[in-house]
Amino acid sequence: MSKYDVIVLGSGPGGYVAAIRASQLGLKTAVVEKESLGGICLNWGCIPTKALLKSAQVFEYLKHAEDYGLSVNGYDKDFDAVVKRSRGVAEGMSNGVKFLMKKNKIDVIEGFGTLKAGKKIEVNGTEYSADHIIIATGARSRELPSLPQDGKKVIGYRQAMTLPEQPKKLIVVGSGAIGVEFAYFYNSMGTEVTIVEYLDKIVPVEDDDVSKQLERSFKKSGIKIMTSAEVTSVDTSGDGVKATVKTKKGEEVLEADIVLSAVGIKSNIENIGLEAVGIAVDRDKILVNDYYQTNIPGYYAIGDITPGQALAHVASAEAILCVEKIAGMHVEALDYGNIPGCTYASPEIASVGLTEKQAKEQGFDIKVGKFPFSASGKASAAGAKDGFVKVIFDAKYGEWLGCHMIGAGVTDMIAEAVLGRKLETTGHEVLKTVHPHPTMSEAVMEAVADAYGEVIHL
């Protein structure tokens, strides 16, 4: 029986990062993967979707070339080529992880891994043992009873990335990051898109002002939005799909070629041996402490299968913290209140910390500042004036409680707020930090200035 210091079950952004960090710290490491290295994120999530979205953005530029004083003749889209490019990007990233495994001398065990008691994993009939086993099996598209996925007419995000032909009409159920990104992509490609959201606003976890702005931008681009609405049944017996939608005004039947179910994710914790080992689970999540130890010594869990935010960067951070604790290093528990969230539609969304509503509910006396990109020189020059930066500070101590952005490229700007909050920066310190001009990022400084009554460019 092969013996390791660490075996990682799953090779997504939690699993492969855990394996590399373990190897860096001198631990003999193996990773078990049933499909492709890099997991869902690299192969069917974060990365290939960004490739699709980039194609959509370039196509949008071509459609609006005249706005930039340019004349473009004879352009068109090739849906198959767009999908093919996306798959090529994913394959390249997966090969990159394969290289990193080899570079760090990590054994890759191919197959479905099942946990066994006594710190063992069985893969394809062979048992492997380790002092520490890290479970990082990720998640998949969640299915609703009223919306069973058949992979053809009612699909999840995975099928949405590789459709054999572009649908003329698409219904997107759910308006979280996955839903709105695909809504933007297909709408840009020329598909007629309707979003159906159960709650009373789209991107429901975001600040109310951000949700309102995205709804305005989406409606301007031709996306139909139905909030406080629920798909109660689907009929796939005909050529397309008929979805019955319950709204406050009554029932409405929508017709489309395809329905995309984007109502969240389901943890991959079935049939991996949790029960046999005795690992505690609460509903859909494996229970862990601050260092990702389960109730059974020697078994750990990270990523989407634990109660934290189901985000790639969270899984990676958990992976490093978990392994460093195993190696005997001093580590501090992750601050889940300072995790950035990003949505890559157009306009992009990026946020961290409390929304204005949450800050008020928690009893803070707050200062709120907002700077619209319509007042930004860089945004005007780029032809991307939709959106704003909004900041929330505690009026008493100047603590940066939250930052919420919507606009072009804001996912590349949010790290300033995350770092500022980590270092316990005050509003006045941000205000006195010189930001380069002209940039989109100076909107952060301007928003802080607005919060403190010192804004120059409004």
Side-chain angles (χ1 to χ4, degrees):
M1 182 189 298
S2 298
K3 176 75 190 297
Y4 294 90
D5 296 318
V6 174
I7 295 178
V8 185
L9 182 58
S11 74
Y16 85 77
V17 169
I20 291 172
R21 188 64 184 127
S23 180
Q24 287 176 343
L25 293 171
L27 301 172
K28 185 183 179 185
T29 306
V31 65
V32 179
E33 175 54 58
K34 68 182 176 68
E35 197 173 341
S36 303
L37 286 170
I40 289 296
C41 177
L42 265 66
N43 294 283
W44 297 100
C46 326
I47 305 304
T49 53
K50 302 311 157 286
L52 293 175
L53 292 166
K54 187 63 184 179
S55 292
Q57 184 187 48
V58 172
F59 193 45
E60 287 283 318
Y61 273 134
L62 290 171
K63 285 190 276 187
H64 296 98
E66 289 183 2
D67 296 345
Y68 298 90
L70 303 172
S71 178
V72 179
N73 296 315
Y75 72 89
D76 201 357
K77 64 181 183 296
D78 182 339
F79 188 75
D80 287 343
V82 167
V83 170
K84 188 176 179 181
R85 175 181 179 271
S86 167
R87 300 315 310 153
V89 170
E91 186 180 347
M93 294 300 293
S94 184
N95 286 336
V97 175
K98 196 178 294 183
F99 164 76
L100 290 173
M101 295 295 105
K102 192 174 181 180
K103 176 190 171 188
N104 288 281
K105 298 179 174 58
I106 297 163
D107 290 345
V108 177
I109 304 166
E110 295 181 357
F112 188 92
T114 306
L115 302 169
K116 300 288 183 181
K119 302 179 190 175
K120 295 172 187 170
I121 288 185
E122 183 182 302
V123 185
N124 300 332
T126 302
E127 280 195 351
Y128 303 84
S129 68
D131 293 328
H132 309 277
I133 293 175
I134 301 172
I135 310 162
T137 47
R140 62 187 184 274
S141 178
R142 185 163 71 96
E143 290 194 47
L144 294 177
S146 61
L147 205 58
Q149 296 177 23
D150 60 13
K152 295 177 181 178
K153 293 182 181 180
V154 181
I155 62 173
Y157 60 80
R158 190 158 173 160
Q159 292 85 16
M161 275 184 270
T162 54
L163 286 176
E165 60 183 51
Q166 182 183 344
K168 292 178 181 176
K169 288 185 177 182
L170 175 70
I171 299 167
V172 179
V173 182
S175 69
I178 294 171
V180 298
E181 286 178 14
F182 277 115
Y184 164 70
F185 168 70
Y186 278 102
N187 176 68
S188 296
M189 290 285 110
T191 297
E192 187 180 314
V193 176
T194 300
I195 294 174
V196 179
E197 170 55 53
Y198 181 75
L199 297 174
D200 61 358
K201 65 175 189 175
I202 60 170
V203 284
V205 300
E206 301 295 343
D207 188 88
D208 288 347
D209 288 347
V210 169
S211 296
K212 289 171 187 172
Q213 175 63 59
L214 185 66
E215 185 166 339
R216 283 195 298 271
S217 298
F218 268 18
K219 284 181 175 177
K220 191 166 69 175
S221 66
I223 296 172
K224 184 182 177 185
I225 295 171
M226 301 173 71
T227 52
S228 300
E230 178 186 7
V231 174
T232 54
S233 65
V234 287
D235 178 3
T236 58
S237 60
D239 290 337
V241 185
K242 291 181 179 179
T244 301
V245 181
K246 182 182 176 184
T247 69
K248 288 180 178 178
K249 296 178 181 177
E251 284 193 345
E252 186 176 339
V253 177
L254 304 179
E255 295 189 17
D257 300 303
I258 287 173
V259 173
L260 167 59
S261 178
V263 292
I265 58 170
K266 169 81 175 70
S267 300
N268 294 322
I269 59 173
E270 303 92 344
N271 306 315
I272 61 171
L274 296 178
E275 299 83 4
V277 178
I279 294 171
V281 174
D282 182 23
R283 286 173 294 217
D284 199 30
K285 303 290 183 178
I286 295 175
L287 297 178
V288 292
N289 65 9
D290 287 346
Y291 308 108
Y292 310 102
Q293 297 160 336
T294 69
N295 62 309
I296 305 297
Y299 294 84
Y300 309 77
I302 59 173
D304 294 357
I305 55 174
T306 62
Q309 296 100 317
L311 298 167
H313 43 283
V314 172
S316 296
E318 291 173 346
I320 292 169
L321 198 157
C322 175
V323 170
E324 289 181 348
K325 181 69 173 178
I326 286 171
M329 297 174 65
H330 172 73
V331 294
E332 293 181 5
L334 198 60
D335 178 6
Y336 288 96
N338 197 31
I339 301 292
C342 296
T343 301
Y344 300 84
S346 185
E348 292 184 349
I349 296 170
S351 59
V352 66
L354 301 178
T355 64
E356 181 177 354
K357 183 179 179 182
Q358 288 168 340
K360 288 176 178 175
E361 286 173 350
Q362 292 186 24
F364 286 101
D365 180 17
I366 58 175
K367 288 183 180 290
V368 178
K370 197 172 175 183
F371 189 80
F373 286 121
S374 58
S376 160
K378 179 70 180 291
S380 294
K385 297 195 288 184
D386 272 9
F388 55 83
V389 173
K390 178 177 179 178
V391 295
I392 301 151
F393 287 92
D394 172 32
K396 189 174 182 181
Y397 297 111
E399 181 187 355
W400 198 345
L401 298 174
C403 185
H404 308 274
M405 309 175 177
I406 179 167
V410 296
T411 57
D412 294 319
M413 290 164 47
I414 194 64
E416 176 179 355
V418 181
L419 180 60
R421 282 164 45 79
K422 173 72 173 174
L423 299 176
E424 299 183 353
T425 299
T426 65
H428 287 292
E429 287 173 326
V430 179
L431 196 51
K432 298 306 178 185
T433 300
V434 178
H435 286 61
H437 174 79
T439 59
M440 299 291 280
S441 64
E442 64 188 325
V444 176
M445 178 191 69
E446 296 276 16
V448 175
D450 183 47
Y452 285 89
E454 299 179 25
V455 68
I456 300 295
H457 293 103
L458 280 183

